[in-house]
Amino acid sequence: VFGLSSVAQVVLGRGDFGQHLSINLGFGIGVTLGIHAAGGISGAHLNAAITLTHCILGNLPWRKLPAYLIGQFLGSFTAAATVFGLYYDALYDYTKGNFTVTGPTATASIFSTYPAPYVSLLGGFFTEFTATVMLMLGILIIHDEKNNGALKGTQALLTGILVLGIGLGMGMNTGYAINPSRDLPPRVFTAIAGWGMDVFTAGHCWWWVPLTAPILGSLAGVLIHKLFIDFHNQPVLESGNEKGQPAVETS
């Protein structure tokens, strides 16, 4: 809701109610609050690519995958519907009732990502792949208690700042989906709500890239972290004391 509504305000406000930075901040704030809301309940799996990666690594049972994916899909779909209702009057005024994917009054990009006109399919894929590598690397680093992990309670804020940083530096080409759960459900909603099947054919059938590139990028991020950081970490002492010092038990 925070992310999509920030895009809507920038697009429909014709630049008078925010700029590119507003969108990045909106998504960063949304991620931070989402982690605070769901972190203790489910681990705050807001991204299907990361959820699938945890299943592949054995950190999450495969039997839980459908529930996580359904929850992510419903959350993102409902967010798109909420923003559509919130800005319906502005959408109608901006488009004169003609909801389009491309053209001078295109509005489909409010809800899902589309590549810039100059970006090739391969270039867009590489952008999403690289951005998701940085996302996964950042998340692993923030939570890496064996290295230089974040202070307890700051992980959600730092993850939001991480998403903000990705948007600031890698958002121009494709709108940085970096998350199948963020892109596909709103795309399905727009297909139903008046934009039609153009949402799946635009950008040389772009829709499949935000589904596959983040998954591969997430796996690559884990591999890079393992090879260059995790394998070189010092083991955490169970006693919590320096080597050679006796552990002191407290009641």
Side-chain angles (χ1 to χ4, degrees), residues 113-116 118-132 170 172-178 203 206 208-210 212-214:
T113 64
Y114 295 87
Y118 59 83
V119 176
S120 66
L121 202 61
L122 181 60
F125 191 99
F126 182 67
T127 299
E128 288 294 326
F129 172 85
T130 304
T132 313
M170 288 171 270
M172 185 174 74
N173 285 345
T174 62
Y176 73 109
I178 60 175
W206 166 258
W208 64 271
V209 175
T212 56

Side-chain angles (χ1 to χ4, degrees), residues 35-85:
I35 293 172
H36 275 297
I41 305 299
S42 66
H45 283 235
L46 311 180
N47 188 327
I50 293 177
T51 300
L52 182 60
T53 298
H54 279 299
C55 288
I56 293 173
L57 295 176
N59 298 330
L60 183 73
W62 283 97
R63 60 183 172 79
K64 291 188 177 183
L65 180 64
Y68 277 80
L69 295 184
I70 291 170
Q72 292 162 3
F73 186 100
L74 290 177
S76 192
F77 187 92
T78 305
T82 301
V83 172
F84 179 78

Side-chain angles (χ1 to χ4, degrees), residues 137 141 144 147 224-233:
L137 267 176
I141 290 168
D144 190 351
N147 184 16
I224 293 171
H225 181 265
K226 282 287 184 185
L227 290 177
F228 296 103
I229 297 177
D230 192 42
F231 287 157
H232 309 283
N233 276 334

